[in-house]
């Protein structure tokens, strides 16, 4: 069964349209051309869908890296 | 039918332009989610549209002046897995006063109803459109927002704000396949404009190319065009529906 970390990395890869191999905890917003303001909106939508959560605006602003996304999702009792 | 299988969310749906858009969209096969402050009228309208056109109509009373009410409404839609394809931000108020008689309460009231509600509706609707990777937003502005009018400086500012907001978000959302356009009606026969009678009405109609006021149905037909796939390569535009009005 897919772990939450795998789910998270796959979600980033899908939303940013990149190979999952380049997704790691340190990957941050605008550090690669694919993670721009447009794909960020797609990313938020995918995270909400995959983890069945509803992020508020502060969380969306705060979502600046893969590592940050783990901290935000942890607020919804999602463990990594 | 141009909107068969689509779901449209329309604010200010109980009268005037909003009602005409609701009827036109239902006639074109759209299921509807109608918003207004008047539950009784919404009930009548939803029964009429369901009977006449066989479409599904849900309606909600939402105070669009409050961000929290809008947020709660979208949370409810989300919890019920209710999605939509088209958002029409039509609800608005008009209030005339000169610069000299401008009051803080009137300014705040106009901006809360005409501008902030549109911004929050679009903001909270985005989640729905992102999930679908497509969507249509139509914001009802006014010719007064593009041209200005004496005695309507604040109303004009609110409509200009809607146009600026719409043009900006159209650029943000185009890569996500979400189209955003405005309609700028001219002088339309509605309850809102019924205070203009006699000489003041004559003065207005003299400045309209067609020499007559428009109807809510004229605006509804333009909304249909912008909501349908007939306009699927159009975004960030302001469509004037003003009969050649000169201000």
């Amino acid at each position: 069964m897919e772990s939450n970390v795998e789910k998270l990395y796959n979600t980033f890869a899908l939303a940013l349209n990149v190979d999952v191999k380049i997704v790691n905890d340190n990957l941050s917003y605008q550090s690669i051309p694919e993670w721009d303001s447009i794909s960020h909106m797609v990313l938020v939508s995918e995270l909400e869908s995959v983890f069945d959560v509803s992020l508020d605006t502060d969380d969306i602003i705060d979502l600046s890296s893969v590592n940050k996304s783990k901290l935000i999702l942890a607020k919804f009792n999602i463990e990594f | 039918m141009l909107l068969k299988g689509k779901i449209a969310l329309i604010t200010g749906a109980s009268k005037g332009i909003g009602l005409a858009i609701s009827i036109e969209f239902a006639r074109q096969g759209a299921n509807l989610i109608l918003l207004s402050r008047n539950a009784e009228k919404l009930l009548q309208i939803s029964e009429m549209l369901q009977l006449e056109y066989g479409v599904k109509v849900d309606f909600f009373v939402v105070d669009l002046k409050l961000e929290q009410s809008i947020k709660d409404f979208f949370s409810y839609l989300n919890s019920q897995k209710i999605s939509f394809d088209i958002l029409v931000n039509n609800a608005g108020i008009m209030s005339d006063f000169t610069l000299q008689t401008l009051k803080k309460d009137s300014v705040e009231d106009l901006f809360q109803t005409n501008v902030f509600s549109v911004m929050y509706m679009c903001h909270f609707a985005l989640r729905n459109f992102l999930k679908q990777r497509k969507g249509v937003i139509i914001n009802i502005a006014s010719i007064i927002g593009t041209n200005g009018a004496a005695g309507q400086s604040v109303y004009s500012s609110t409509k200009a704000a809607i146009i600026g907001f719409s043009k900006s978000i159209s650029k943000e959302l185009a890569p996500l396949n979400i189209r955003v356009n405005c309609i700028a009606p001219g002088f339309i026969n509605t309850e809102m404009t019924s205070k203009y009678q006699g000489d003041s009405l004559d003065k207005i109609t003299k400045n309209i190319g067609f020499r007559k006021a428009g109807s809510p149905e004229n605006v509804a037909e333009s909304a249909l065009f912008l909501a349908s796939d007939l306009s699927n390569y159009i975004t960030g535009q302001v469509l004037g529906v003003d009969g050649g009005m000169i201000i």
Side-chain angles (χ1 to χ4, degrees):
Chain A
M1 194 181 140
E2 199 180 29
S3 71
N4 278 341
V5 172
E6 286 169 329
K7 259 164 81 173
L8 183 70
Y9 282 16
N10 285 331
T11 305
F12 269 83
L14 179 74
L16 306 182
N17 198 19
V18 296
D19 194 310
V20 72
K21 285 178 195 151
I22 75 157
V23 179
N24 61 65
D25 281 5
N26 295 322
L27 184 66
S28 60
Y29 179 56
Q30 292 187 333
S31 65
I32 54 172
E34 291 85 352
W35 192 351
D36 59 11
S37 61
I38 303 299
S39 57
H40 192 76
M41 287 193 263
V42 177
L43 173 64
V44 170
S45 175
E46 287 296 329
L47 288 172
E48 288 183 331
S49 238
V50 170
F51 292 97
D52 195 22
V53 295
S54 184
L55 303 182
D56 65 28
T57 306
D58 288 337
D59 289 332
I60 295 169
I61 294 166
D62 219 22
L63 208 166
S64 55
S65 67
V66 174
N67 202 35
K68 271 277 187 186
S69 74
K70 286 182 174 176
L71 297 174
I72 291 165
L73 291 169
K75 292 197 288 186
F76 298 91
N77 299 320
I78 296 161
E79 291 176 359
F80 292 96
Chain B
M1 287 198 282
L2 291 171
L3 300 180
K4 183 84 184 158
K6 303 280 187 192
I7 301 173
L9 195 169
I10 302 165
T11 71
S14 65
K15 58 186 179 183
I17 290 171
L19 175 58
I21 293 173
S22 304
I23 294 170
E24 183 60 33
F25 282 18
R27 204 165 67 84
Q28 295 292 336
N31 294 321
L32 303 173
I33 302 168
L34 304 181
L35 269 59
S36 158
R37 285 176 296 188
N38 191 331
E40 205 177 315
K41 280 211 76 178
L42 283 175
L43 177 61
Q44 287 171 7
I45 292 163
S46 67
E47 284 175 350
M48 182 269 283
L49 294 176
Q50 287 175 85
L51 195 68
E52 184 89 7
Y53 302 107
V55 296
K56 183 171 183 286
V57 183
D58 291 314
F59 65 88
F60 299 88
V61 174
V62 178
D63 186 352
L64 296 177
K65 285 165 78 173
L66 301 174
E67 183 209 0
Q68 191 60 48
S69 301
I70 297 173
K71 191 175 180 178
D72 291 344
F73 165 67
F74 279 102
S75 294
Y76 175 78
L77 290 188
N78 200 33
S79 71
Q80 300 301 305
K81 310 279 183 216
I82 299 172
S83 62
F84 52 93
D85 307 284
I86 301 155
L87 167 64
V88 182
N89 286 306
N90 161 73
I93 55 170
M94 187 165 74
S95 180
D96 295 357
F97 44 85
T98 61
L99 181 60
Q100 197 171 41
T101 57
L102 179 151
K103 282 183 180 171
K104 185 171 176 269
D105 287 352
S106 308
V107 174
E108 287 180 355
D109 199 30
L110 274 162
F111 268 86
Q112 275 174 347
T113 308
N114 291 1
V115 183
F116 300 156
S117 69
V118 173
M119 291 175 171
Y120 294 132
M121 286 295 293
C122 291
H123 170 71
F124 290 115
L126 178 60
R127 174 172 288 141
N128 167 86
F129 291 137
L130 281 172
K131 271 186 196 161
Q132 304 187 153
R133 297 286 192 277
K134 68 184 294 194
V136 174
I137 298 173
I138 300 169
N139 293 327
I140 305 298
S142 167
I143 190 173
I144 308 299
T146 53
N147 294 35
Q152 294 192 310
S153 57
V154 179
Y155 175 73
S156 155
S157 308
T158 64
K159 294 299 184 179
I162 288 174
I163 292 169
F165 176 72
S166 303
K167 281 180 176 281
S168 295
I169 65 169
S170 76
K171 290 177 167 65
E172 273 181 41
L173 303 180
L176 299 161
N177 203 24
I178 300 167
R179 299 192 292 110
V180 185
N181 290 291
C182 282
I183 294 176
F187 191 78
I188 306 296
N189 265 329
T190 63
E191 193 182 300
M192 199 186 257
T193 56
S194 61
K195 63 184 174 183
Y196 297 99
Q197 297 290 336
D199 286 350
S200 62
L201 182 61
D202 290 344
K203 206 174 150 190
I204 291 168
T205 49
K206 242 189 256 176
N207 289 324
I208 300 172
F210 290 152
R211 300 288 186 269
K212 62 176 184 181
S215 69
E217 290 73 26
N218 293 145
V219 181
E221 284 157 7
S222 303
L224 171 63
F225 168 67
L226 290 176
S228 75
D229 288 343
L230 292 176
S231 62
N232 66 9
Y233 200 59
I234 296 177
T235 195
Q237 303 303 307
V238 182
L239 178 56
V241 183
D242 57 26
M245 189 176 190
I246 296 163
I247 294 183

